[in-house]
């Protein structure tokens, strides 16, 4: 059903006819084009794109909003790469500020969660030669031996590309080895902005867009799932964002292996891009909305609260997002080091449930693959 606000926009005589055509496509369940995407970014005002995105969100997931119970482990914050947006990268030159965990130290961190009802461990960090193919296959095996039901969501194509190249194995062979060792899914990081005009400038030297997409494709072909991200709001133009979304939509048509898309707002503290201003909350919400409209073959859009703060995350639930990620429990440093709202990101399950209920949505605790762990409908009445 079209919302009243959307009807209002469509009836408005002031509405740009080209925008009206895009809205009609969205209502009819038709895919919007690259040009339509650019038009939405250039001319779609917040209320308009929000109403369209909310329509799409409610078609896909009704009133539900998902979250999970997870924690992060960052095996190292030292990195051979020097992405200019990253608040880790400078640490390669100041190793004393860095950490480098062994397999046993990572296991010890994971064991601290033994008596807690978490369903997922999210493992990612910098790239260093020591943490190679054997390191990670040993780690995944040991995690599974210790706690077989804990979902291991680990590493991105940035790490895998480096690890497989060093071990001289193909992406297909490498991902098969990771699956056999116990990897359950891949998080969405390392995507940044795919187009080389921007990627070379902010993330030169690490895997290319084609390599990032090929590793996800190899993983999906094994019947496995992963996420995708986009780091937006820095030096890219709107059409670079649409190009990024287009490449993801094309691969998703082919494999259907992506679970969720996570827009990541560029934060400018403590990195080489501190002179680049951060975009406004209005731009964040427009970006959620247009991503939701464009990625018609993605089931979920995640508003990562640790990055944008709890208030903006709540707003995003009316602009296309249907997922808030997890409890996290202060186990990730990547955003607090870059100036994110939450310097000590942690939310209890009850706090997450309350955040969702406060905006009139129905919370569902999910596992990583969106299986229902707990419904909270009964408490909504
Ligand atoms: O790839 C690094 C980004 C990503 C900054 O799949 C920054 O469920 C903004 O991908 N400003 C890693 N962003 C995190 C990530 C992620 C997070 C939560 C959930 C999932 C998931 C994936 O963080 C990196 C990079 O794009 N990043 N520095 C910064 N200054
Ligand atoms: Fe390394 Fe990732 Fe930071 Fe780039 S974003 S410097 S690959 S940790």
């Amino acid at each position: 059903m079209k919302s009243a606000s959307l009807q209002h926009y469509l009836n408005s005589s002031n509405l740009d006819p080209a925008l009206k055509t895009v809205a009609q496509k969205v209502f009819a369940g038709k895919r919007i084009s690259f040009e339509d995407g650019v038009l939405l970014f250039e001319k779609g005002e917040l209320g308009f794109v929000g109403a369209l995105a909310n329509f799409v969100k409610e078609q896909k997931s009704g009133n539900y909003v998902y979250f999970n119970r997870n924690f992060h482990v960052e095996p190292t914050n030292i990195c051979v790469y020097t992405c200019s947006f990253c608040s880790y990268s400078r640490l390669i030159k100041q190793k004393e500020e860095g950490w480098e965990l062994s397999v046993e130290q990572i296991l010890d961190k994971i064991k601290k969660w033994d008596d807690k009802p978490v369903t997922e461990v999210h493992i990612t960090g910098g790239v260093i030669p020591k943490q190679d193919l054997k390191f990670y296959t040993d780690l995944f095996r040991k995690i599974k031996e210790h706690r077989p039901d804990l979902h291991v969501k680990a590493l991105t194509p940035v790490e895998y590309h480096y690890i497989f190249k060093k071990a001289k194995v193909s992406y297909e062979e490498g991902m098969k080895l990771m699956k056999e060792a116990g990897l359950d899914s891949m998080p969405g990081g390392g995507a940044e902005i795919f187009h080389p005009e921007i990627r070379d400038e902010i993330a030169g030297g690490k895997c290319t867009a084609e390599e990032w997409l090929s590793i996800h494709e190899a993983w999906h072909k094994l019947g496995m799932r992963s996420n995708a991200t986009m780091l937006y709001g820095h030096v890219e133009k709107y059409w670079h964002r649409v190009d990024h979304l287009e490449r993801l939509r094309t691969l998703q048509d082919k494999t259907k292996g992506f679970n969720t898309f996570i827009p990541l707002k560029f934060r400018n503290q403590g990195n080489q891009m501190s002179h680049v201003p951060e975009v406004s909350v209005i731009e964040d919400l427009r970006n959620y909305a247009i991503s939701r409209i464009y990625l018609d073959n993605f089931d979920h859009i995640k508003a990562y609260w640790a990055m944008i703060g709890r208030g903006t995350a709540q707003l995003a639930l009316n602009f296309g997002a249907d997922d808030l990620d997890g409890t996290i429990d202060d186990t990730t440093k990547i955003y607090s080091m870059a100036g994110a709202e939450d310097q000590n990101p942690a939310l209890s399950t009850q706090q997450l449930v309350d955040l969702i209920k406060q905006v009139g949505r129905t919370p569902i605790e999910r596992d990583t693959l969106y299986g229902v762990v707990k419904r909270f409908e009964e408490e909504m009445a």
Side-chain angles (χ1 to χ4, degrees), residues 79 81-83 85-86 88-89 125-127 158 192 206:
C79 191
Y81 300 115
T82 51
C83 305
F85 57 84
C86 178
Y88 276 5
S89 57
V127 181
V158 176
E192 325 312 357
K206 70 185 191 187

Side-chain angles (χ1 to χ4, degrees), residues 143-208:
I143 298 173
K144 284 294 173 184
E145 272 164 29
H146 177 71
R147 190 166 171 178
D149 61 315
L150 186 67
H151 183 107
V152 177
K153 184 175 85 175
L155 313 193
T156 73
V158 176
E159 287 108 324
Y160 288 123
H161 169 75
Y162 181 89
I163 290 169
F164 297 160
K165 214 170 138 202
K166 192 160 166 277
K168 298 192 172 52
V169 296
S170 68
Y171 293 162
E172 288 72 18
E173 287 170 273
M175 291 319 300
K176 201 160 162 274
L177 291 172
M178 293 296 161
K179 183 180 174 186
E180 284 163 5
L183 179 70
D184 292 304
S185 71
M186 237 199 292
E192 325 312 357
I193 287 285
F194 287 143
H195 198 282
E197 250 174 48
I198 303 298
R199 195 173 187 81
D200 291 349
E201 184 182 335
I202 65 167
K206 70 185 191 187
C207 70
T208 63

Side-chain angles (χ1 to χ4, degrees), residues 85 153 187-190 192 227 231 262 265 267 302 307 335 338:
F85 57 84
K153 184 175 85 175
E192 325 312 357
N227 292 338
L231 174 68
I262 309 143
K265 177 195 183 110
R267 308 305 309 241
K302 187 187 284 188
M307 163 65 80
Y335 301 114

